[in-house]
Amino acid sequence: MNLVHLLLRQARQCPDRLAILYGTEPWATHAQWAQRSAGLAQRMRAAGLVPGDRVMLFMRNQPRYLEILWAAWWAGLVVVPVNAKLHPREAEWIVANAGARWAFVTHDVASEPLAGLQQQIDVESDACDDLLTPVGDAWAVPVVEREAQDLAWLFYTSGTTGRPKGVMLTHRNLMTMGLTYFIDVDPVSSEDAIVYAAPMSHGAGLYAIPHLMAGARHVVPASGGVEPAELFALGEAIGPLSTFAAPTIVKRLVDHAEQHGIQAEASARAFKTIVYGGAPMYAADIARALRVMGPRFVQIYGQGETPMVGTALSRRQLADTAHPRHTERMASVGVAQTPVQVRVADADGRSLPTGAVGEVLIKGDSVMAGYWNNPEASSAAVRDGWLFTGDVGCLDADGFLTLKDRSKDLIISGGSNIYPREVEEVLLTAPGVAEVAVVGLPDAEWGEAVVAFVVLQPGSTATRDTLDRHCLASMARFKRPKRYEIVTELPKNNYGKVLKTELRQRLADPAHAASGQRSAM
């Protein structure tokens, strides 16, 4: 079960169909893609790389990403995708931990050699062009066959608390993810186009697999990232786009559509499907997105440890406003995707009844093989086949999962559990509020006190007093923030997730604490 056969299948059946575009410009047909990947695979094997060796991709979004990814699998290698926003020293730590032998980079990301590598290739160089040129008949280059349980993708977690861990994803894991997309997320045809605006080193890149399965087009924007005007124009030029986006990217697209008066009909010409996930999407935000851009959204919940597969909230469920529990479903992350089981359990792994809050567990063929060279963490995370996600949530009678928070983010104040997301949901409905993050502050009397970091919209007149009145009108007094910090922005990692650890560190800083006490309610 080698994922490279997905490319070979398309290259043989429809060799001349356009497969990759760079902006609106054609980059490669399926046959050209396969020929280039074969050439690189041939040269990597000739240079001494053997099946199971790790090859790092430390580069911004670029059409070569797809060619190199499938070349590595052709040669039986394991890809180590690294976010282009990481510092080179952080990338070097991953090189050492993964034992990567080669790295493919873009000059803007790694202008100097990374320590520990045998070979570093600038993907925009003539040398890389030469490596991708097949020697003789590309179809004669043998595929290094792999077993379903062999590694394909070694993904390093974002490392918000200490060093990242290498998530070992197998060919079976990724094949499961690809096939599940058609059943639970979105049907795909050969006329479709997926655009890579979010980092290809993460979920966006993984969705290349189902779109290759369907023979769809792959589009890398010329900017290599998220430029809303560019993405809307691309969709108008080449046909409605599908994309994976973190909620922060969705917000930028919706802001652009609203600010430029782009109606839902025009949004439909630019975007077929926007799959969102990777961080909380608050009910108020998705309601606004649907109002501005129409029914083109699907939510997925998964983790790097079960890539893109956990639960899904379909566009049909999001649009079913007549359902008596539509409001609750909008705040959920949907129901279990087809190949997995999802349950909520106590600290000992015992299933909890409907409505009870506990840790979310997932089991199925998408769950990782473990953490690279970290048996202790692997044993703690996967027990009897169940992935202990560290997320806290509850299931309703219809199987819809509502996430409360990460277990480490739970606030216990005066003996009562307070879920930061619940407070954040309320504050996001306050006039003038753009973003919110809620954390706990150690408190001698209560154990922990609730602190809300709030980013205001431009021109907002909201104050700590108005925010507090809004909370008191919508939630129990014990849940309301004891303190409001008005900030210009929230700290986020390279994937757009708010770094609550950093917010807690700010509160622990004596200088910040002193100034904060003056602003406390």
Side-chain angles (χ1 to χ4, degrees):
M1 184 189 285
N2 190 327
L3 291 160
V4 80
H5 288 296
L6 301 176
L7 175 58
L8 284 169
R9 176 171 171 266
Q10 295 298 335
R12 286 172 174 145
Q13 291 182 356
C14 44
D16 299 326
R17 180 186 292 157
L18 182 60
I20 304 175
L21 295 92
Y22 198 12
T24 58
E25 295 300 314
W27 178 271
T29 64
H30 283 107
Q32 290 169 332
W33 179 357
Q35 288 162 356
R36 293 168 189 169
S37 294
L40 178 55
Q42 194 175 30
R43 287 179 171 83
M44 288 192 290
R45 292 298 308 280
L49 293 179
V50 299
D53 278 348
R54 276 75 62 204
V55 173
M56 175 184 282
L57 274 65
F58 186 37
M59 50 193 284
R60 57 178 159 75
N61 288 3
Q62 217 260 4
R64 289 277 188 246
Y65 209 107
L66 297 168
E67 296 169 345
I68 296 165
L69 181 58
W70 261 267
W73 289 334
W74 200 312
L77 308 176
V78 179
V79 175
V80 184
V82 177
N83 193 298
K85 293 181 180 178
L86 289 190
H87 190 280
R89 301 291 82 78
E90 294 173 304
E92 287 179 341
W93 184 89
I94 294 174
V95 168
N97 187 264
R101 295 182 61 184
W102 282 31
F104 292 87
V105 306
T106 45
H107 185 76
D108 55 325
V109 172
S111 57
E112 300 295 329
L114 298 172
L117 292 167
Q118 295 177 9
Q119 183 79 272
Q120 180 170 318
I121 300 102
D122 183 338
V123 301
E124 295 170 317
S125 66
D126 291 340
C128 189
D129 289 340
D130 292 340
L131 287 171
L132 286 156
T133 303
V135 178
D137 181 8
W139 308 118
V141 177
V143 173
V144 177
E145 295 300 344
R146 307 299 283 156
E147 298 298 326
Q149 67 271 19
D150 287 334
L151 296 191
W153 180 284
L154 184 57
F155 169 71
Y156 278 79
T157 60
S158 51
T160 56
T161 55
R163 291 291 194 184
K165 297 187 289 290
V167 176
M168 298 190 292
L169 299 178
T170 68
H171 286 267
R172 174 183 278 125
N173 293 151
L174 299 186
M175 190 71 78
T176 300
M177 179 274 302
L179 293 171
T180 303
Y181 187 93
F182 302 103
I183 304 168
D184 297 308
V185 181
D186 198 37
V188 186
S189 79
S190 60
E191 302 304 314
D192 285 349
I194 180 169
V195 64
Y196 302 103
M200 295 174 75
S201 56
H202 205 51
L206 287 172
Y207 274 166
I209 292 170
H211 286 81
L212 179 58
M213 287 176 171
R217 293 167 294 163
H218 304 254
V219 184
V220 178
S223 69
V226 182
E227 296 294 341
E230 177 187 31
L231 294 174
F232 274 90
L234 269 177
E236 290 276 4
I238 65 177
L241 305 170
S242 295
T243 194
F244 173 72
T248 51
I249 295 176
V250 173
K251 186 176 186 300
R252 289 182 61 184
L253 294 173
V254 174
D255 287 346
H256 178 84
E258 194 168 53
Q259 292 164 7
H260 292 82
I262 299 173
Q263 301 300 313
E265 295 79 6
S267 293
R269 292 196 300 270
F271 291 98
K272 176 200 172 199
T273 303
I274 298 173
V275 182
Y276 63 93
M281 171 68 93
Y282 300 105
D285 289 337
I286 188 58
R288 172 174 171 253
L290 289 165
R291 184 180 70 251
V292 173
M293 293 183 65
R296 44 206 28 83
F297 296 92
V298 179
Q299 179 168 202
I300 64 100
Y301 161 65
Q303 295 185 332
E305 291 84 347
T306 175
M308 315 302 278
V309 181
T311 64
L313 186 64
S314 70
R315 70 178 78 212
R316 177 184 57 80
Q317 291 161 341
L318 282 167
D320 187 11
T321 56
H323 195 281
R325 292 188 296 281
H326 181 254
T327 299
E328 292 85 353
R329 289 184 172 185
M330 286 268 287
S332 80
V333 291
V335 299
Q337 293 187 41
T338 301
V340 295
Q341 297 171 262
V342 175
R343 63 187 178 97
V344 171
D346 63 17
D348 296 319
R350 294 185 295 252
S351 292
L352 293 172
T354 298
V357 175
E359 185 170 0
V360 178
L361 276 58
I362 301 175
K363 184 177 186 179
D365 279 351
S366 60
V367 172
M368 67 172 180
Y371 294 114
W372 179 259
N373 288 339
N374 197 336
E376 183 177 339
S378 299
S379 298
V382 182
R383 303 175 223 164
D384 296 325
W386 288 95
L387 172 67
F388 284 65
T389 66
D391 290 326
V392 174
C394 61
L395 288 163
D396 71 10
D398 297 328
F400 284 78
L401 176 67
T402 298
L403 296 179
K404 298 298 184 180
D405 268 294
R406 292 290 291 172
S407 57
K408 63 183 175 59
D409 291 333
L410 174 69
I411 298 170
I412 302 177
S413 182
S416 297
N417 290 351
I418 301 172
Y419 297 101
R421 178 167 179 166
E422 185 179 2
V423 182
E424 291 162 355
E425 291 270 16
V426 170
L427 278 168
L428 279 168
T429 65
V433 171
E435 291 185 284
V436 179
V438 168
V439 299
L441 173 69
D443 183 273
E445 181 178 0
W446 298 102
E448 286 184 289
V450 180
V451 179
F453 287 81
V454 181
V455 178
L456 299 178
Q457 296 170 356
S460 171
T461 58
T463 65
R464 294 176 175 86
D465 287 335
T466 61
L467 294 174
D468 201 51
R469 287 197 295 271
H470 182 84
C471 286
L472 287 171
S474 305
M475 68 171 66
R477 178 173 287 273
F478 78 90
K479 296 180 182 179
R480 76 185 244 278
K482 300 297 189 294
R483 181 164 147 190
Y484 298 84
E485 294 278 342
I486 308 299
V487 295
T488 56
E489 62 180 1
L490 297 175
K492 295 172 184 171
N493 70 6
N494 296 315
Y495 301 117
K497 293 183 181 180
V498 175
L499 296 173
K500 291 193 173 182
T501 299
E502 186 171 319
L503 294 176
R504 295 187 193 96
Q505 289 171 347
R506 287 188 197 177
L507 293 174
D509 179 70
H512 184 94
S515 63
Q517 288 301 321
R518 292 194 294 272
S519 66
M521 298 300 305

